[in-house]
Amino acid sequence: MRMLLHNDPLTVDVDGKHVPVSLRRNARAKKMILRVDALTGDIKLTAPRHVSERDLSRFLDESKDWIAAERLKVQANPVLGHGDLLRFAGDALEVVYTGVAPRRVTVGHDQLMVGGPVDQAPARLERWLKAQAKLELSADADEFASRLSADIGRISIGDMKTRWGSCTSTGTLRFNWRLILAPEEVRRYVAAHEVAHLLEMNHSPQFWAHVERVVPDYRILRKWLREQGSELMRIRFRTPQTAD
């Protein structure tokens, strides 16, 4: 076990490499909590203020097999680029980085074509997907709000790591852009779910009754998200040097 000297950066030995650990001290924490970011593989440790550097190092050393296993999962995350298949509204489309103008994204012939410089294509594709998510989810939410007689404050799109949507007490609905990758009926279920929270800020029987009024088969769609949604959450886009 490598011991820390005062002010040394915190690291853990993973497969023979000293990997940095982001440490957060929390006065309210009662124990050490270790996390590995599901997208980046970054290691984050939360610890009570009184825990010594020696104990931090020992805890990390005892956890290194678990850390290595979690980081292997990150390496297995789908990293998509030119020629790969990406689901859009539930349909599998081939991603094509054209490398030529115009600089826009178009759908056709089972392809998702991204124009413009190839090195900018992944960012352009992600921006386009977020814009499509905002367009479709806004329409979904407005429809369900009308049917349930609910008032929406505003709608925003984010990239939450574990949640598909949220609703605040002020009526703001926030949706995960990756819903645009899911089948349309799944996306619409999440929209209905969050709109129903405008009426019930809980998961009471009354809440689920509101959801069922507008999405009668919500249980099937909820099950789809639980079983297959994690794959969408892990998707990233690869930045290529060329479109080969």
Side-chain angles (χ1 to χ4, degrees):
M1 178 176 64
R2 177 178 179 268
M3 301 307 299
L4 287 173
L5 298 176
H6 186 62
N7 291 329
D8 270 0
L10 191 60
T11 64
V12 61
D13 188 336
V14 180
D15 297 328
K17 298 179 180 179
H18 291 305
V19 180
V21 177
S22 175
L23 173 64
R24 176 175 175 264
R25 296 280 189 175
N26 188 332
R28 293 182 295 178
K30 296 182 179 179
K31 62 180 181 180
M32 288 182 278
I33 301 174
L34 187 62
R35 296 184 177 89
V36 174
D37 190 287
L39 291 179
T40 65
D42 293 341
I43 305 169
K44 302 177 182 181
L45 175 61
T46 300
R49 294 192 184 279
H50 66 271
V51 175
S52 68
E53 293 180 346
R54 180 185 295 271
D55 287 339
L56 291 174
S57 291
R58 182 179 296 109
F59 177 72
L60 288 170
D61 189 62
E62 293 171 351
S63 306
K64 63 184 181 182
D65 289 343
W66 178 84
I67 293 172
E70 290 300 301
R71 284 169 63 86
L72 277 177
K73 294 179 184 178
V74 174
Q75 294 176 20
N77 284 349
V79 183
L80 305 181
H82 177 79
D84 293 323
L85 292 179
L86 173 69
R87 292 201 172 273
F88 176 71
D91 295 328
L93 303 179
E94 180 188 6
V95 176
V96 177
Y97 295 161
T98 69
V100 298
R103 301 187 180 198
R104 64 169 180 254
V105 180
T106 56
V107 179
H109 305 294
D110 297 325
Q111 292 181 324
L112 201 54
M113 292 167 286
V114 187
V118 169
D119 62 333
Q120 299 172 22
R124 182 172 294 114
L125 174 57
E126 188 167 326
R127 286 195 301 270
W128 182 83
L129 289 168
K130 289 177 180 178
Q132 293 300 304
K134 178 70 176 291
L135 183 68
E136 297 294 342
L137 284 159
S138 294
D140 295 337
D142 285 342
E143 175 192 335
F144 292 128
S146 176
R147 293 169 63 182
L148 291 173
S149 299
D151 295 321
I152 298 174
R154 69 184 185 91
I155 297 173
S156 66
I157 298 296
D159 191 8
M160 298 89 90
K161 295 180 180 179
T162 59
R163 303 182 68 179
W164 292 108
S166 65
C167 173
T168 71
S169 59
T170 59
T172 295
L173 304 184
R174 184 171 176 81
F175 295 105
N176 194 314
W177 72 264
R178 294 164 187 273
L179 284 166
I180 198 63
L181 309 178
E184 178 182 354
E185 58 271 24
V186 173
R187 183 198 74 226
R188 285 173 55 80
Y189 154 65
V190 176
H193 184 116
E194 299 309 328
V195 168
H197 275 311
L198 295 169
L199 303 176
E200 296 284 343
M201 292 295 288
N202 52 54
H203 288 104
S204 64
Q206 293 88 345
F207 165 82
W208 290 112
H210 291 314
V211 175
E212 192 167 21
R213 277 175 56 195
V214 291
V215 185
D217 57 349
Y218 78 87
R219 292 177 181 84
I220 296 173
L221 305 174
R222 187 182 181 203
K223 184 173 183 286
W224 188 98
L225 269 180
R226 286 178 171 174
E227 293 179 350
Q228 302 189 51
S230 60
E231 181 179 349
L232 303 184
M233 284 288 194
R234 297 198 310 270
I235 287 175
R236 294 177 290 163
F237 296 106
R238 178 174 63 250
T239 301
Q241 297 301 315
T242 69
D244 292 339

